[in-house]
Amino acid sequence: MLRNERHVPSNQPPPPDPTDRRYGTDAATIRATRPLPEQADVVVVGAGIMGLALAWELSRLGPRRIVVIERSYLCSGASGRNGGGVRAQWSSETNVRLMKESIEICRSFATRMRINVWFRQGGYLFLARDESMVRTLEASVQLQRAHGLPTRLIDAAECKAIVPQLDTTRIIAGSYNPRDGVVFPWPFVWGYARACRRSGVEVHPFTEVTAIDTQGRRVTGVTTTRGRVRAPLVVLATGAWTPQLARTVGLELPNRPHRHEICSTESLAPFLRPLVADLSTGLYVSQSMRGELVGGISNPDVPEGLDTRSSMRFLGLYARALVRTMPVLAGVRVLRQWAGCYDVTPDGAPIVGRVDELDGLVLCCGFVGHGFMMAPVVGRKLARHLVLGEERELFELWNLRRYREGRWLGESMILG
Ligand SMILES: Cc1cc2nc3c(=O)[nH]c(=O)nc-3n(C[C@H](O)[C@H](O)[C@H](O)COP(=O)(O)OP(=O)(O)OC[C@H]3O[C@@H](n4cnc5c(N)ncnc54)[C@H](O)[C@@H]3O)c2cc1C
């Protein structure tokens, strides 16, 4: 509805305008404003980056009633808590190919969605400290180059030329793709949410799906804290919460939530162009356009669970690894630390596609620590798969049934 079309009684304040920029995103994201519809063509559960990207792409494929249901505020899940890293440096053909396309979508996102997402292509620099890591990087560089990417295997001196602050005494080699980059995750989520609303998708925050409704072997809709929505197609884009929700229909999933911590420092004058990553420790750090260093590290002691608390142990691990990599950062102050949940699968690859056991149920989860960068391309391909039947091969590869069939996938460049 356009603002000047709305009838407002003169003695009452106007209802919030969903396109009003004063709310940073829009009023409807800060409270549940409208009743739920009784019927939809598709219900997407979860308004993280995956759910919103999928809903928007579905809306572009023809008229249908699409409803996105989110139990909290937008950005409350991993999509509002991540490092914003976007890269095509992967070791598996699938990930390289998909991320090449995703980066292209990121490049035009701001113009198409009319929102600044602070996308900066400063590259990713992976460091190798031992021979086995060099071999991993070597193989993946070869694969990426075969896909037309400009990634190069470089020696320690060239690593230092790209980031002069590096201590390269124990670094043997690195791999560098200048087209990788970082985004600011929040406006990316808001951009999709706004585009969804502009194209008629209903996004309902603060509404929890408490059950997936079924009749025999068919999904019939969802029950929520604000009523029921009937729909023949229900997509679970619920990140680390997916196993919990799937269990309500007796579906046991192999992915598990694991806390992943991250922090940002005070602002420094711009000095760090690429995101620097070290696969041996899981350390990654980039400099935001406001000058803060944003980064994290693997913490092998974290037990599985939906836990988003911060810890001193993380700060110690991160600080030691960061200062070992760039000693000049020893005196930098951390201003903020937070945590989110990785949605970890046994083989590090996502679980996306239709579920054999229940007609009409679709999973879109298991993106470990790299789902944000994949959402633009996965949203697009999954929408085309569901509506047009395209991309069968990809969603066969990523289907849940691969675990039953013993078809595990591999990826050796996972951070965190
Ligand atoms: C600290 C950290 C750093 C990361 N860094 C990167 C990075 O640099 N690059 C990258 O690509 N990825 C990164 N990731 C991973 C990335 O954030 C995730 O893979 C991605 O955001 C997953 O998106 P999603 O939409 O699937 O899940 P989420 O963003 O978690 O969204 C799921 C949504 O579902 C909602 N929900 C759950 N249950 C229900 C229910 N019953 N009813 C209704 N709604 C429900 C939740 O509230 C949530 O909003 C990082 C993650 C973390 C935690």
Side-chain angles (χ1 to χ4, degrees):
M1 186 194 292
L2 292 174
R3 191 174 209 159
N4 57 9
E5 286 171 348
R6 188 180 288 147
H7 172 72
V8 180
S10 57
N11 60 345
Q12 284 177 23
D17 178 347
T19 58
D20 192 329
R21 281 168 176 252
R22 283 174 309 169
Y23 294 96
T25 152
D26 60 52
T29 60
I30 51 176
R31 65 187 144 184
T33 47
R34 283 157 301 153
L36 285 178
E38 286 178 8
Q39 177 81 45
D41 296 311
V42 189
V43 167
V44 178
V45 190
I49 194 77
M50 280 295 164
L52 292 169
L54 172 66
W56 184 68
E57 294 285 355
L58 282 169
S59 74
R60 298 172 70 214
L61 295 176
R64 56 184 55 80
R65 189 150 196 197
I66 303 159
V67 176
V68 183
I69 301 179
E70 165 57 51
R71 70 157 177 206
S72 184
Y73 58 93
L74 300 189
C75 290
S76 60
S79 300
R81 297 162 179 268
N82 64 82
V86 176
R87 60 173 156 120
Q89 287 195 66
W90 291 97
S91 70
S92 66
E93 197 272 339
T94 308
N95 286 352
V96 171
R97 185 172 49 81
L98 291 175
M99 278 312 303
K100 201 176 147 191
E101 189 174 335
S102 215
I103 288 175
E104 283 312 308
I105 302 175
C106 290
R107 280 165 63 88
S108 58
F109 191 89
T111 327
R112 289 178 69 199
M113 302 305 211
R114 290 181 265 154
I115 193 159
N116 182 2
V117 291
W118 300 22
F119 181 46
R120 186 171 69 81
Q121 286 178 287
Y124 253 64
L125 175 61
F126 278 98
L127 305 174
R129 293 180 189 273
D130 59 51
E131 285 302 333
S132 92
M133 195 55 70
V134 176
R135 283 194 294 279
T136 301
L137 293 186
E138 209 165 24
S140 60
V141 167
Q142 222 172 45
L143 175 75
Q144 292 156 37
R145 293 187 72 83
H147 280 265
L149 292 168
T151 317
R152 285 182 305 120
L153 193 71
I154 56 179
D155 61 15
E158 204 173 338
C159 291
K160 197 156 177 83
I162 295 167
V163 180
Q165 294 77 9
L166 281 179
D167 175 357
T168 50
T169 41
R170 296 224 168 89
I171 290 166
I172 313 179
S175 73
Y176 177 60
N177 175 9
R179 292 198 202 145
D180 292 337
V182 284
V183 296
F184 183 14
W186 298 353
F188 218 99
V189 171
W190 298 335
Y192 272 127
R194 275 196 346 209
C196 274
R197 291 202 175 96
R198 278 199 295 261
S199 40
V201 174
E202 291 190 28
V203 182
H204 292 272
F206 298 102
T207 308
E208 181 167 0
V209 170
T210 51
I212 301 161
D213 301 332
T214 59
Q215 199 167 53
R217 277 177 52 95
R218 269 217 67 80
V219 160
T220 53
V222 293
T223 299
T224 81
T225 44
R226 294 174 58 231
R228 278 198 162 150
V229 185
R230 286 192 306 274
L233 196 64
V234 172
V235 184
L236 305 190
T238 33
W241 293 268
T242 313
Q244 175 177 292
L245 189 55
R247 218 165 281 138
T248 64
V249 281
L251 188 64
E252 206 43 59
L253 300 183
N255 39 334
R256 292 289 173 266
H258 281 266
R259 176 177 67 174
H260 185 82
E261 295 182 70
I262 182 166
C263 67
S264 80
T265 67
E266 61 190 326
S267 288
L268 306 172
F271 74 97
L272 186 60
R273 247 188 91 66
L275 183 149
V276 173
D278 185 341
L279 286 166
S280 59
T281 55
L283 172 79
Y284 61 90
V285 60
S286 69
Q287 187 169 28
S288 79
M289 282 165 89
R290 285 198 306 220
E292 306 126 334
L293 295 177
V294 178
I297 193 167
S298 306
N299 183 351
D301 296 339
V302 172
E304 105 183 17
L306 286 160
D307 178 5
T308 53
R309 285 172 300 177
S310 294
S311 74
M312 278 303 287
R313 165 139 174 83
F314 158 75
L315 278 188
L317 274 175
Y318 177 70
R320 274 192 296 276
L322 185 66
V323 172
R324 182 169 78 128
T325 308
M326 284 183 262
V328 70
L329 297 177
V332 173
R333 280 170 287 233
V334 170
L335 287 194
R336 198 162 77 86
Q337 76 178 108
W338 68 97
C341 282
Y342 272 19
D343 178 12
V344 180
T345 57
D347 56 357
I351 302 172
V352 188
R354 290 182 185 272
V355 170
D356 292 337
E357 291 82 351
L358 264 183
D359 287 347
L361 185 64
V362 176
L363 298 171
C364 182
C365 61
F367 285 91
V368 195
H370 46 273
F372 201 87
M373 65 179 89
M374 291 215 153
V377 68
V378 171
R380 176 179 289 180
K381 291 197 184 299
L382 183 57
R384 298 188 74 82
H385 178 65
L386 295 175
V387 175
L388 306 169
E390 292 178 5
E391 302 288 346
R392 280 177 198 280
E393 213 178 305
L394 176 64
F395 297 111
E396 181 57 37
L397 192 75
W398 281 356
N399 198 285
L400 173 65
R401 84 175 77 86
R402 74 175 183 272
Y403 294 109
R404 256 196 333 261
E405 296 171 350
R407 276 189 296 118
W408 283 34
L409 303 171
E411 172 54 67
S412 48
M413 293 191 65
I414 291 179
L415 272 174

